[in-house]
Structures are given as structure tokens and as C-alpha cells.
Amino acid sequence: MTKNPHARFPALRMRRPRATAWSRRLFQENALSPSDLIQAVILIEGNKVREPIDAMPGMHRLSVDQAIELAKEAQGLGIPALALFPFTDSNARTPDGEEALNSDNLMCRAARAIKHAVPDIGLMADVALDPYTDHGHDGLLRDGDIVNDETVKILVEQANIMAAAGYDIVAPSDMMDGRVGAIRTGLDKAGFQHVQIMAYAAKYASAFYGPYREAIGSAGILQGDKRTYQMDPANSDEALREVALDLAEGADSVMVKPGLAYLDIVRRVKDEFGAPTFAFQVSGEYAMIKAAAGNGWLDGERAMLESLIAFKRAGANGIITYFAVEAARLLRKNMA
Ligand code: PBG
């Protein structure tokens, strides 16, 4: 493993480069910059609304005007993009999630307003039905089954509606088979050749999504679990097959999700394909750090930055995280 098998203690002293701050900086192998971060944003209807999310201390559901303010700050900090997610009240949800196809829904209005106010920030949208279904699943539920091909048809429409509203990246997070290729074909047919697809390629059936489901209003309503479409946390080779498929179907970038517990997958995907690879540091990861920091059990800022650099070290090109603005502020302060 070592490239210099001859150097041994005491000629070789690994502590030598660690002795001073300048030298530690010089020897640093990976760096985190605001350009690596995509801020995850939870939207809510209304005006001047900043509603705290209980399970995610420090995070708020933001009305569109507030999301615009956040977009301005993110842009000023050098954050390239935002990933938007809608809170949907249970009375606006239906069995088939029709609101997903309403071109005037919260997601579409938010994209238009943010693009108008902050034209140079990238905007990303999930393609999946879970914010809109009354059962909380990402696809259509028929006799206890999440039906694949019928769902994909709707996702294609949803992606086109998002693209028309101004989203730069559509990110299928539903884990239906064949959806990346179908969405690519649909986008191209509708004249959205420039819109990117970031595939949630290796997305695991994870307990770490818990706080997000509260954040978007899915918490109490999810029937069963998502194990018939999301991956088994025990699997690793399967992630490579998922990624291979999504790249072959035209994904511009792929994502591994959740983040910290799946860094081995990030590394394997990066090494195997060399494709643009992103990690999603999900709601539960954010909640764990915030909760421990809130109790004084760890240094929240240091834990945040350490968790983020870990993704870079594992080979990720970027990280979708609820910490983006907070981390970028800190990075900027540390640079000054
Ligand atoms: C839904 C979706 C989920 C997340 C992003 N998109 C949750 C799920 O699959 O149940 C999780 C985000 C997070 O936990 O931060 N398609």
C-alpha cells in the first residue's frame, strides 16, 4: 500500500507535517468549498412564513418570499444550487397525487419566483409523488402495490412541468425502474434538452428520512414502508447496477442517499464509473448533529464540517445538505 516501503521510523515521522497550521494546510488532501454544496429547502404556502420543523432544529419551512431571501444569501455565499421540496397539507393530498401535475403548484410558483429574483442560481426538483399522495408513497398505489410503469408515465409529465417552471435539474427520487430514460425522452421531446437529470440512483430504504417526512407532511400518513422500491441497506453491488442503468439511460449525474452511512457506496460508484457523483446528507443526519449539539454533547459546527469533508474524501463531487448555507458562512469566516 505504501509507495515508499523503505522509509521507517525514526527517519519517517508522520507527525512532522502535522506540527504547524501552515503545514497542515499544505498537506491537506481534500477541501470543502461552497461550490460543493446544494442547499435543501422545504417550501410552504403563504407569505412571510418561517415555520420551524420540530425534528430539524434550525430548519424552517419557508414561504416563497423567504425562499427568495435564502436564494440570495446562498448565491452571495457561492452556493451553486438549491434543491426544493414542498410541504403539502394532508387535505391537499389525493390517492394519485394529482397536485404533482398542477403547473401552478407550490414547487412551480417557487421556481418561477426564485428564477425571476435570482436568475443565476441553479434549481433542482425531486421527481416523485410522495409530497402529493395521501398514502405518502412515491408512486401510484394499486391493491397494495406501487405500480411501476403507470407511475413512470406520470413522472415524465411531472418532470416536464418542473422543467417548464424553470428547474435546471430534475432529480427522480422515486426509484421506479426505467424512469430516467423515460424522463430524458420526455424532456427532449418537449424541448428541454438543456435540463439535467440527477438520478437518485442508489437510494436506500432508510430510517434517516424520518425528519424529512415530518417536514413535508408525510409523517403520519405513510402506509407501510418503501422497501419494494428503495434499496436494502445491506446491499452494495446492487448500487453499482442501479448507477450503471441510470447512466446508460442518460443521467447527467448520480446520487447516493443517505450520506454518511453510505460513504462506501459513494467511493465504489466514483471509482467504478468516474461520473459526477453526489451524496445526499439527509434530514436524519442533520437532525442527529443538531440534536447532539443542542444538548451540548458535541461541537455542532465542527461536526458539520467534518461530516461534509467526509463526502469529499469519499469521492463525492458535491453534497445536497440542509447545512449548505450554515457551512458556507463558516467556511467564509474561516477563510477571512
Ligand atoms: C422522496 C424523498 C425522500 C427524501 C428526498 N426525496 C424521502 C423518502 O424517500 O421517503 C429524503 C430527504 C431527507 O431525508 O432529507 N422521494
Side-chain angles (χ1 to χ4, degrees), residues 180-242:
V180 172
I183 289 171
R184 183 71 270 162
T185 304
L187 287 170
D188 288 355
K189 255 195 219 148
F192 298 119
Q193 288 86 353
H194 57 283
V195 172
Q196 298 180 23
I197 298 178
M198 182 188 290
Y200 282 73
K203 177 172 179 181
Y204 288 85
S206 174
F208 292 105
Y209 308 148
Y212 166 89
R213 294 188 188 154
E214 182 217 313
I216 68 157
S218 285
I221 64 175
L222 179 64
Q223 287 175 21
D225 58 49
K226 301 192 177 183
R227 282 185 286 188
T228 68
Y229 46 108
Q230 299 180 349
M231 285 179 56
D232 183 339
N235 296 355
S236 171
D237 291 342
E238 187 186 346
L240 300 188
R241 299 181 72 202
E242 281 282 7

Side-chain angles (χ1 to χ4, degrees), residues 32-34 37 39 73-74 76-79 289-290 293 299-309 323-336:
L32 180 69
S33 104
L37 305 174
Q39 174 70 50
E73 180 177 13
L77 288 164
I79 292 170
I289 292 176
K290 283 291 182 185
D299 178 331
E301 290 188 342
R302 286 185 53 206
M304 168 180 74
L305 292 181
E306 187 176 328
S307 67
L308 292 170
I309 196 70
F323 282 128
V325 162
E326 202 181 334
R329 277 190 207 131
L330 200 60
L331 290 170
R332 174 160 289 199
K333 201 175 95 191
N334 293 349
M335 287 291 285

Side-chain angles (χ1 to χ4, degrees), residues 98-120:
E98 279 87 354
E99 181 66 6
L101 302 185
N102 170 6
S103 58
D104 211 26
N105 67 21
L106 178 58
M107 284 290 283
C108 294
R109 279 181 277 120
R112 287 193 290 266
I114 296 171
K115 278 288 171 184
H116 183 73
V118 195
D120 294 331

